[in-house]
Amino acid sequence: MKTDVDGVMEAASTAAAAAAAVASGGDAKGMDKNTLVAVLQFLNKNNLQGAEQALRKETGFFDAVSAAGSGGQASSDVGTVLSVYKSEGDPDAYVSNYVSLKAFVEKSLDAYKYELGQLLFPVFVHMYLELVFNNHPADAEAFLARFGPDQEDFFQQDVQKLSHVTCPEHMQENELIQQFRSSAYTVRMCRDSHVLLKRHLSEKQHSLLLGLVQDHVVLDVFEGVPRSKQLIHLTAGALEGDPGRQVNKTKMLFGLLREPDIQLTVPVEEDDEPEGDDKPKKKKAKKDALVSKKSKNDPNAPNPSRIPLAELRDMDKREKAKSLREAMKRATLGPDSLPSMCFYTFLNAADNVSCVTLCEDSSMMAVGFSSSTVRVWSLIPQKLRAMKSADELADIDKDADDVLVRMMDERSAEQSRTLAGHSGPVHGVSFSPDRTLLLTCSEDGTIRLWSLQTWSCLVCYKGHVFPVWDVRFSPHGHYFASGGHDRTARLWATDHHQPLRIFAGHLADVDVVEFHPNSNYVASGSSDRSVRVWDVSTGSCVRVLTGHKGVVYAAAFSPDGRFLVSGGADGAVLCWDLASGHLTAALCQHTDTVCCVQFSRDGAVLASGGMDDCIKLWDFQKATEDSLAEEVGAAQPADAKVGAELALASFATKHTPVLVLHFTRRNLLLAAGPLQT
Amino acid sequence: MKVKQRRAEQEPALAGTLSLDSVRVAAESVGICGLPDDAIRELAEDTTYRLRQVVQPLYGVQSLEHVPFRFTSGGGRELSFQDERDLELGELVSAQMPKAPLETTIRVHWLCIDGVQPAIPENPPPVALEHQKQESTNPASRIGKPPAASPASALPTKSGPQRAKTIETVSVKQLAQHELSVELQLYYKEITEACVGSDESRRAEALQSLSSDPGLHQMLPRLCNFIFEGVKVNVVQYNLALLIYLMRMVKALLDNQTLYLEKYLHELIPSVASCILSRQLCARPEADNHWALRDFASRLLAQICKNFNTSTNNMQTRVTRLFTGCLRGERSSLAATYGALAVIKSFVLPQVKPLGCRLERLSEQPVVSPADRLATTHLKQLFARGLTPLLKQLRSPPDVVEQYQAEYGYLGPMLCAAVSKARSQTAAPQTAGTASLGASKVAVGAAAAAAASAQAAPRLGTPQRTIIVSGSPAAAGGSGRLVVLGGPRAAAPTQDRARAKRGQKTARGGGLAVLVRDGISVTKLKMSSPVDTHLETMWLLMSFAGGRSAVIGAAYRPPDGRTTDDLEALRHQLLEAVGTGSRLYLLGDLNIDPWVENLPRPPRPWPG
């Protein structure tokens, strides 16, 4: 890619290009040269021509710079020379350059138009910043007022933020600008589009544009046909532009871990099913399939020891076996057999409930309140018990079979319990897989680990500097991930008070984190409108998924680990194929923020719910059948499917936003939300 | 410096820029005076930028109260300040605790069962009211749209190509769903049986279900038909009870927020009208109370007209024409005429208030065309003339301006005056005492106290004379003297009324006045006046002919404030009054609700 840019530079023999070449060449002497440039300009500015000539002669290689310097205007002071934003050209040139770029895009053939159109926003931003930097506040304002409204809807928020910056001092600490400067905006285009663009930029009067594109925009050129309008529209929206071609090339081990061998105590309680004879037979067959699938060797599965996981205890094995038995009884879902839904409405809590979660076996529900408390409800007849005191525990016969039951104090049984400890609204809750621990995170910047046996706080993890928006236990326990306002997602282990990994790369708040079923990856959704997938073992970012037009608030991995689904403030539910990083389906039927997405246990049906008081069901099998058939590693993504044909049903609630969705082991869909009064 | 200032003035003001003056004031407030303008401009720019950074929709952070800045000027300075009142700690401590918020609870229901959403109150109605309305007012809206309008029909029953074919062949005629599920059929049977059956509790349940259950949409044609047929049969058979039951069904359906009845009005209106106008509704017209049915049905009809009258169906006009026709008809029975009148009454009266509002708005305009003014005057006269006799009949005697105002708005005071005038004309031969007796009831309010006053009179041995009035002394009329307790409340009744109108509970114009008949000498007793209570009292020593005397205490306590303090003050005064040695009568309105306040009932007359 760098060579492409060099090619352009050779073609264009303008002063600016030469200046850029000089500036970028010779790293060792770079600092020295910059100082000399500053001195030269200072001399030039103060009309000390004799000294200037002498210096020029002595150094020899500054002709190009002087051309640029004299052509530019004298407003820059010594410090600005060191900046990326050179002062050059009169303010009007920006307007004319932008207008000509726009006209060029509009006049291009339809095939290339949309790819080239992606360039408009970064050019707009950097032109505005240059104007501001070079002290043309009035021109900058006019520029913003004229072209700001032209930008895509999802960029309007950024344009608004940009409009706050009106003088160079502001640029120092504005986070948006830092993002723009620290990470180059990427635009993907096919070779033909690129040639067209090169031709346009090499025209004489577009020198300014050329410099700008070279400095601030990464052109990611690929061979082949240009991307379609629909695809471009679906993947646009992120603050950093398109993900580069190389970013999503890393191989991802999305397969599931091999299940440990569990002696399946074959359910003798067949009497549960009073049906006829043919039913049990069918069940047997399915069970065999279930078992055999697990034991097959998946080439995409990571080595079980890739990250250290805790040994399974007897208790866990029993739990696994129970879960598997339940799974055999689960309802098969599909377009013709939709699930039943049970809705938990919170009354008297309109503005108070901020997050809800259910534990894996659907026996408990934890709710985080903006009043800093957390409440846990038991959803089954068995109530929540506390452990006996130490004295009483000492009296228990430890060899008894029911020692776990005896440990608990029968008198303390309650339907719900409150955990108080945070000093700010609680934004995330998560149960550990064995249901003995609960994690909560809060606006006070801490994550707390609670014991659900003693009902007290065990650990307070301090690491995030700002509010923590989400926390999630690994499906294998022990590890957990969190994300917050400090733009990082972090990986922790319950026994370490410091994070094990810090996943940095998002340009704005991390609003949601989710563990891959094999615990080797963490997905994070952010306010920069992108979703990233991180490798737990290396800490590197393996997938950047762009396409949301608003903050990403929900994410879920499919049960087979191959797909990721995310939902956001734009009301879209996007499905990603992790193998290729391509968008496979865009389900845009929600009219407001999507708060939660969840797969049925067999992965056939996807449910999404949101602030529009509505739960929608989608045919996920149909959404993915193409990408499953397709060769892994196809360069060009197939066209993503769009909503309508995948929608199965929509169920409205009565003024109740849906905050959580959860499929029980038998595929009953549970949902919860506060009644808005 | 001056040049710079001018330049600063010429600079275009950006939207939402902090002004230089604000910065200067802020600087002075922290003790930095004489900042140069340049510095101020720099500061203003920077602060503006910071403010814009801060004033952004931050999530997770919320401020429930706005910051109440107030503005004042004086001494050549203009200041914005925060109004911080001194808080009485004592008040804070003794004040009632605010209600604790209700505990968050969970309620569980089935949102859907095997992909079908059950029609229960917890779920939204299957077909939204808006949708029903649109369907009935604009049937054409459905054509051209895919049939997947309601969530229920979103189920994939047909595959793609088939559906496309049906769209091609569908004509303007709509597809109505005529199938009722077995459950709905059972429900229909149960409901209709319960509604007209003999078990009153079952009927109440059935009506409750009709008025609150969502999802009755599909059954509406059947229910309306049931009512229609039922009325048809029972009107002829003079079955009053059944007619009443059917009308109650209509009422329940009207009350159901999830139903839009317009499509079925052609069945409902004739049924209801029959119950109003029918020559005979019951077997024994002289004994049975068919008037109640006529009244009830006429109210129903008014409600129907109010809900469904549009410019296209002209329903109100048509219904009114029907009933005026009945009024004019020579041969219509008197009972039918009563019904017709009842309907017109329930039409006209609700219109008085909106019309009054219109007139008020008109009169408030600075420039009123002469034609409009004339029209206003005529309208007012018409109202006064036409409505006065009606209102005189309809309303029980105490005419209180506030009540009239509440009910009839702008025209209320006028109507009130007219009605009371009409009353006083008829009541002129009677004594002024009886005319204002009604007023005493209003002022005293508490029934117990009123009863006490009624008892007090005969025991006193003289005709009852002492009356406490409140509000409008003019309404009392007649001869006599008014002893009025001067006080802040009594002094500014208009202000109080205005406050009461705004809905503040704190001040209800509670003045005290005692009307005393000529021939009784009165002295006002001085009491240690209650200082910090809201209680208002007046103690009068009455001397009757024959040397007997009595002390009359009048007390009024506004409903707010602390009961115990007020009662304590009253007790002190009572003790003082007992000291005079005369018989003692205490009358008043203490506004103590025995259910709310866990306190003894208001004191009875003190035993002399």
Side-chain angles (χ1 to χ4, degrees):
Chain A
M1 175 214 69
K2 198 72 188 168
T3 52
D4 292 332
V5 176
D6 288 341
V8 180
M9 284 194 301
E10 280 158 24
S13 61
T14 58
V22 169
S24 63
D27 285 332
K29 288 188 178 176
M31 187 62 200
D32 211 36
K33 273 176 204 160
N34 282 333
T35 321
L36 282 170
V37 170
V39 172
L40 264 179
Q41 287 198 342
F42 178 78
L43 294 176
N44 189 10
K45 194 173 163 189
N46 294 306
N47 258 345
L48 304 170
Q49 284 170 355
E52 193 190 345
Q53 293 293 338
L55 191 60
R56 205 172 283 283
K57 249 180 212 159
E58 207 161 326
T59 51
F61 54 80
F62 270 111
D63 297 318
V65 178
S66 76
S70 59
Q73 45 149 318
S75 69
S76 60
D77 64 355
V78 181
T80 60
V81 186
L82 304 172
S83 158
V84 193
Y85 294 108
K86 306 174 292 292
S87 67
E88 63 173 274
D90 65 319
D92 296 337
Y94 289 94
V95 175
S96 65
N97 267 304
Y98 188 80
V99 168
S100 81
L101 178 68
K102 217 173 126 188
F104 161 70
V105 168
E106 272 160 17
K107 278 186 207 139
S108 314
L109 286 177
D110 271 4
Y112 310 119
K113 196 178 193 168
Y114 302 104
E115 283 194 339
L116 294 171
Q118 298 298 303
L119 207 58
L120 285 171
F121 179 66
V123 167
F124 164 79
V125 170
H126 288 287
M127 279 188 166
Y128 176 79
L129 291 181
E130 277 192 19
L131 280 171
V132 168
F133 191 81
N134 296 321
N135 275 324
H136 307 297
D139 294 304
E141 200 192 329
F143 184 79
L144 191 85
R146 181 164 167 197
F147 300 113
D150 291 352
Q151 308 304 324
E152 299 271 6
D153 288 342
F154 40 87
F155 288 132
Q156 285 306 323
Q157 216 184 341
D158 299 323
V159 173
Q160 175 71 30
K161 269 188 206 163
L162 211 58
S163 70
H164 300 154
V165 179
T166 50
C167 69
E169 287 78 29
H170 298 161
M171 296 170 69
Q172 302 293 330
E173 36 207 290
N174 188 301
E175 60 180 64
L176 181 79
I177 304 211
Q178 281 175 351
Q179 285 155 21
F180 270 113
R181 291 174 58 170
S182 63
S183 66
Y185 193 96
T186 312
V187 176
R188 292 188 73 183
M189 52 177 65
C190 68
R191 182 158 295 284
D192 294 345
S193 306
H194 187 238
V195 171
L196 280 175
L197 180 67
K198 258 202 301 195
R199 202 174 300 148
H200 178 75
L201 291 181
S202 59
E203 284 169 36
K204 185 88 174 166
Q205 68 272 28
H206 297 143
S207 57
L208 194 141
L209 211 57
L210 177 68
L212 219 145
V213 170
Q214 278 172 358
D215 286 348
H216 303 297
V217 181
V218 177
L219 297 177
D220 188 10
V221 181
F222 62 88
E223 303 290 337
V225 290
R227 295 183 298 163
S228 67
K229 173 191 176 186
Q230 186 213 16
L231 191 68
I232 289 178
H233 183 74
L234 284 175
T235 53
L239 204 52
E240 70 233 72
D242 299 318
R245 201 172 12 147
Q246 298 307 320
V247 176
N248 288 342
K249 281 281 185 255
T250 327
K251 182 169 165 55
M252 209 179 136
L253 302 167
F254 55 78
L256 299 183
L257 294 179
R258 184 133 32 110
E259 286 293 320
D261 286 336
I262 296 164
Q263 289 86 21
L264 256 185
T265 45
V266 179
V268 197
E269 337 101 59
E270 290 279 302
D271 50 346
D272 272 12
E273 288 107 49
E275 280 97 330
D277 292 347
D278 54 342
K279 270 270 164 92
K281 260 179 210 160
K282 232 189 215 167
K283 286 239 160 78
K284 276 239 167 79
K286 201 169 69 186
K287 175 192 72 189
D288 291 340
L290 256 168
V291 175
S292 63
K293 202 167 76 183
K294 290 270 154 66
S295 56
K296 213 164 56 183
N297 230 345
D298 188 348
N300 289 314
N303 191 337
S305 59
R306 187 163 179 266
I307 59 167
L309 292 173
E311 282 283 307
L312 282 187
R313 294 167 293 178
D314 285 351
M315 207 173 79
D316 299 326
K317 280 183 184 155
R318 269 203 301 278
E319 185 64 37
K320 273 247 153 50
K322 197 175 153 200
S323 152
L324 224 58
R325 274 205 303 279
E326 287 270 311
M328 281 167 211
K329 293 179 189 165
R330 80 178 163 213
T332 323
L333 297 184
D336 301 324
S337 54
L338 295 175
S340 297
M341 294 185 203
C342 190
F343 200 94
Y344 293 85
T345 311
F346 300 109
L347 304 176
N348 313 322
D351 297 326
N352 203 357
V353 172
S354 55
C355 57
V356 189
T357 193
L358 288 103
C359 67
E360 201 269 340
D361 73 343
S362 321
S363 64
M364 281 187 288
M365 168 149 65
V367 183
F369 291 94
S370 33
S371 59
S372 316
T373 57
V374 178
R375 225 169 136 180
V376 181
W377 269 276
S378 167
L379 300 182
I380 50 173
Q382 191 188 11
K383 293 188 174 172
L384 306 174
R385 294 173 178 78
M387 204 184 271
K388 286 178 181 165
S389 71
D391 298 344
E392 289 169 303
L393 283 177
D395 300 339
I396 295 176
D397 173 17
K398 291 184 190 65
D399 298 327
D401 285 342
D402 56 347
V403 65
L404 289 177
V405 180
R406 287 192 193 186
M407 271 160 55
M408 294 310 195
D409 189 355
E410 206 57 40
R411 288 163 299 173
S412 64
E414 278 177 61
Q415 194 65 42
S416 80
R417 281 172 172 277
T418 305
L419 303 170
H422 280 295
S423 56
V426 180
H427 288 291
V429 280
S430 179
F431 282 104
S432 72
D434 62 356
R435 300 191 301 283
T436 56
L437 299 169
L438 179 77
L439 274 170
T440 60
C441 67
S442 154
E443 201 170 293
D444 61 11
T446 61
I447 301 164
R448 278 173 189 270
L449 182 73
W450 308 83
S451 161
L452 299 186
Q453 284 169 329
T454 61
W455 300 96
S456 57
C457 183
L458 301 178
V459 194
C460 176
Y461 301 94
K462 296 177 182 174
H464 279 288
V465 193
F466 288 108
V468 191
W469 299 132
D470 199 15
V471 68
R472 200 61 53 97
F473 245 114
S474 143
H476 295 88
H478 188 57
Y479 297 106
F480 64 94
S482 66
H485 180 62
D486 58 4
R487 300 186 224 160
T488 61
R490 292 169 190 234
L491 179 83
W492 310 71
T494 46
D495 53 357
H496 286 63
H497 69 282
Q498 291 290 326
L500 304 178
R501 299 279 183 277
I502 296 182
F503 306 119
H506 276 298
L507 302 181
D509 302 27
V510 176
D511 294 286
V512 63
V513 287
E514 179 64 284
F515 257 99
H516 192 276
N518 67 18
S519 285
N520 278 262
Y521 297 92
V522 170
S524 63
S526 158
S527 295
D528 67 7
R529 306 185 287 266
S530 70
V531 177
R532 283 168 185 259
V533 182
W534 311 87
D535 188 338
V536 163
S537 118
T538 62
S540 60
C541 175
V542 291
R543 291 286 180 274
V544 179
L545 311 166
T546 65
H548 275 291
K549 314 283 187 280
V551 180
V552 183
Y553 281 118
F557 284 96
S558 66
D560 62 359
R562 166 94 187 250
F563 297 95
L564 173 65
V565 165
S566 61
D570 51 354
V573 175
L574 303 183
C575 310
W576 313 92
D577 184 356
L578 290 175
S580 60
H582 294 160
L583 183 69
T584 60
L587 315 169
C588 308
Q589 285 193 352
H590 279 285
T591 54
D592 205 340
T593 303
V594 176
C595 296
C596 47
V597 286
Q598 191 59 259
F599 285 96
S600 66
R601 292 284 172 138
D602 49 6
V605 170
L606 173 72
S608 64
M611 300 300 278
D612 56 354
D613 304 347
C614 191
I615 295 175
K616 290 184 193 292
L617 299 179
W618 312 90
D619 187 347
F620 196 71
Q621 255 168 359
K622 202 169 158 195
T624 55
E625 60 196 9
D626 284 358
S627 44
L628 285 174
E630 187 181 288
E631 284 282 302
V632 175
Q636 194 69 349
D639 268 1
K641 294 185 177 173
V642 194
E645 78 258 34
L646 302 176
L648 289 180
S650 168
F651 300 97
T653 65
K654 216 173 180 180
H655 310 296
T656 314
V658 185
L659 291 187
V660 73
L661 287 166
H662 176 87
F663 276 95
T664 64
R665 288 172 178 170
R666 298 191 185 190
N667 268 342
L668 172 71
L669 180 56
L670 307 181
L675 179 70
Q676 301 284 334
T677 42
Chain B
M1 192 60 124
K2 254 187 186 163
V3 179
K4 267 182 195 164
Q5 264 178 355
R6 196 167 302 144
R7 196 159 28 129
E9 281 158 19
Q10 281 165 356
E11 271 170 11
L14 276 169
T17 321
L18 202 67
S19 80
L20 303 188
D21 285 341
S22 324
V23 180
R24 188 174 294 123
V25 170
E28 279 167 16
S29 71
V30 292
I32 306 168
C33 294
L35 264 181
D37 274 10
D38 282 344
I40 287 179
R41 190 172 301 110
E42 286 292 321
L43 275 172
E45 253 178 37
D46 192 60
T47 320
T48 307
Y49 169 69
R50 306 275 159 199
L51 278 176
R52 283 184 185 167
Q53 293 270 299
V54 175
V55 185
Q56 275 180 31
L58 287 175
Y59 56 2
V61 181
Q62 45 183 313
S63 161
L64 295 175
E65 292 175 8
H66 72 288
V67 186
F69 273 111
R70 294 186 50 187
F71 180 78
T72 188
S73 61
R77 283 174 65 93
E78 293 178 333
L79 276 179
S80 291
F81 66 97
Q82 219 175 328
D83 193 18
E84 285 182 282
R85 278 174 305 150
D86 290 340
L87 285 177
E88 276 288 331
L89 261 184
E91 272 180 31
L92 272 183
V93 172
S94 61
Q96 274 190 344
M97 292 288 280
K99 249 197 201 165
L102 293 168
E103 200 191 16
T104 302
T105 50
I106 297 185
R107 188 191 168 97
V108 194
H109 74 271
W110 287 105
L111 188 69
C112 102
I113 297 168
D114 291 334
V116 181
Q117 192 161 27
I120 48 174
E122 284 89 348
N123 286 330
V127 183
L129 189 63
E130 278 303 305
H131 186 73
Q132 289 180 38
K133 187 174 177 179
Q134 211 204 355
E135 214 171 65
S136 58
T137 50
N138 182 14
S141 66
R142 216 177 177 199
I143 306 162
K145 262 198 289 181
S150 66
S153 61
L155 297 175
T157 45
K158 291 173 190 163
S159 61
Q162 262 179 327
R163 193 180 289 169
K165 209 181 282 172
T166 51
I167 288 173
E168 277 169 22
T169 52
V170 158
S171 59
V172 180
K173 196 176 183 317
Q174 306 175 29
L175 293 167
Q177 288 169 321
H178 289 296
E179 290 163 25
L180 275 190
S181 65
V182 180
E183 290 86 355
L184 281 180
Q185 286 175 25
L186 275 177
Y187 176 81
Y188 172 78
K189 189 163 160 279
E190 287 285 313
I191 285 282
T192 48
E193 273 174 11
C195 277
V196 296
S198 56
D199 187 347
E200 189 57 44
S201 63
R202 268 191 79 201
R203 177 166 26 255
E205 274 175 35
L207 290 175
Q208 170 71 28
S209 160
L210 280 182
S211 65
S212 63
D213 271 353
L216 297 183
H217 172 62
Q218 286 197 335
M219 296 221 301
L220 261 186
R222 270 134 180 118
L223 287 169
C224 290
N225 198 266
F226 175 77
I227 295 169
F228 182 67
E229 293 294 328
V231 170
K232 209 162 80 182
V233 170
N234 288 299
V235 154
V236 183
Q237 295 183 343
Y238 308 138
N239 201 336
L240 182 65
L242 275 182
L243 286 175
I244 291 177
Y245 298 153
L246 290 169
M247 285 303 109
R248 285 173 72 182
M249 276 178 80
V250 175
K251 169 89 176 140
L253 288 178
L254 270 176
D255 286 348
N256 193 325
Q257 297 293 323
T258 62
L259 296 178
Y260 193 73
L261 293 177
E262 205 200 34
K263 275 203 274 191
Y264 310 101
L265 290 180
H266 65 282
E267 289 184 335
L268 290 179
I269 291 186
S271 312
V272 177
S274 302
C275 290
I276 301 170
L277 291 180
S278 180
R279 196 173 287 263
Q280 193 179 348
L281 285 170
C282 47
R284 295 165 298 149
E286 61 289 339
D288 292 335
N289 188 5
H290 61 101
W291 309 108
L293 173 61
R294 289 178 200 273
D295 280 338
F296 182 65
S298 63
R299 280 200 298 277
L300 276 183
L301 200 60
Q303 196 184 344
I304 291 175
C305 284
K306 198 168 130 244
N307 289 0
F308 302 106
N309 187 33
T310 61
S311 58
T312 45
N313 63 12
N314 275 332
M315 189 187 314
Q316 184 146 358
T317 327
R318 284 154 68 187
V319 170
T320 322
R321 196 174 297 144
L322 171 74
F323 288 100
T324 24
C326 175
L327 277 183
R328 287 214 198 95
E330 291 282 314
R331 292 179 299 122
S332 57
S333 72
L334 284 177
T337 317
Y338 172 86
L341 268 179
V343 173
I344 294 173
K345 181 199 85 185
S346 43
F347 274 147
V348 176
L349 282 186
Q351 292 305 317
V352 172
K353 194 172 182 181
L355 205 67
C357 283
R358 227 179 105 193
L359 290 181
E360 189 177 18
R361 250 181 288 132
L362 204 66
S363 64
E364 276 168 0
Q365 279 170 8
V367 187
V368 186
S369 74
D372 276 353
R373 196 180 305 134
L374 210 61
T376 316
T377 329
H378 277 286
L379 258 176
K380 277 187 187 170
Q381 277 173 0
L382 184 66
F383 270 120
R385 236 181 311 133
L387 287 181
T388 310
L390 186 62
L391 286 177
K392 210 177 91 190
Q393 292 301 316
L394 284 177
R395 301 183 63 90
S396 50
D399 297 313
V400 182
V401 184
E402 280 84 356
Q403 288 180 4
Y404 272 78
Q405 188 136 24
E407 249 172 87
Y408 308 121
Y410 175 64
L411 293 172
M414 189 193 77
L415 288 175
C416 175
V419 171
S420 42
K421 195 173 147 200
R423 272 197 225 287
S424 66
Q425 275 167 1
T426 48
Q430 300 171 5
T431 58
T434 46
S436 42
L437 178 61
S440 81
K441 262 194 199 160
V442 178
V444 172
S453 87
Q455 287 166 1
R459 249 193 284 162
L460 211 58
T462 47
Q464 173 261 357
R465 299 276 182 273
T466 313
I467 290 139
I468 305 169
V469 294
S470 161
S472 56
S479 62
R481 284 170 295 155
L482 270 176
V483 184
V484 180
L485 174 76
R489 289 162 186 280
T494 48
Q495 217 183 343
D496 279 344
R497 197 177 306 146
R499 240 182 278 163
K501 227 164 92 181
R502 276 198 310 254
Q504 290 186 358
K505 282 187 192 160
T506 48
R508 286 245 297 259
L512 286 174
V514 175
L515 181 66
V516 185
R517 199 181 208 194
D518 283 340
I520 301 172
S521 68
V522 177
T523 15
K524 201 172 159 191
L525 296 177
K526 287 238 156 119
M527 293 281 178
S528 57
S529 65
V531 187
D532 50 0
T533 65
H534 298 294
L535 189 70
E536 290 176 29
T537 51
M538 176 157 60
W539 298 89
L540 300 174
L541 179 63
M542 310 251 174
S543 309
F544 302 99
R548 281 184 300 171
S549 66
V551 170
I552 308 275
Y556 174 73
R557 180 190 161 274
D560 52 314
R562 298 195 57 218
T563 324
T564 41
D565 286 357
D566 294 339
L567 285 184
E568 190 60 22
L570 189 64
R571 200 171 66 87
H572 277 293
Q573 292 192 349
L574 273 172
L575 287 175
E576 277 184 67
V578 168
T580 61
S582 311
R583 296 185 79 114
L584 184 64
Y585 295 98
L586 173 65
L587 312 173
D589 177 9
L590 295 177
N591 278 318
I592 294 172
D593 187 349
W595 298 108
V596 174
E597 318 261 350
N598 195 9
L599 282 167
R601 287 172 163 275
R604 297 264 161 192
W606 202 267

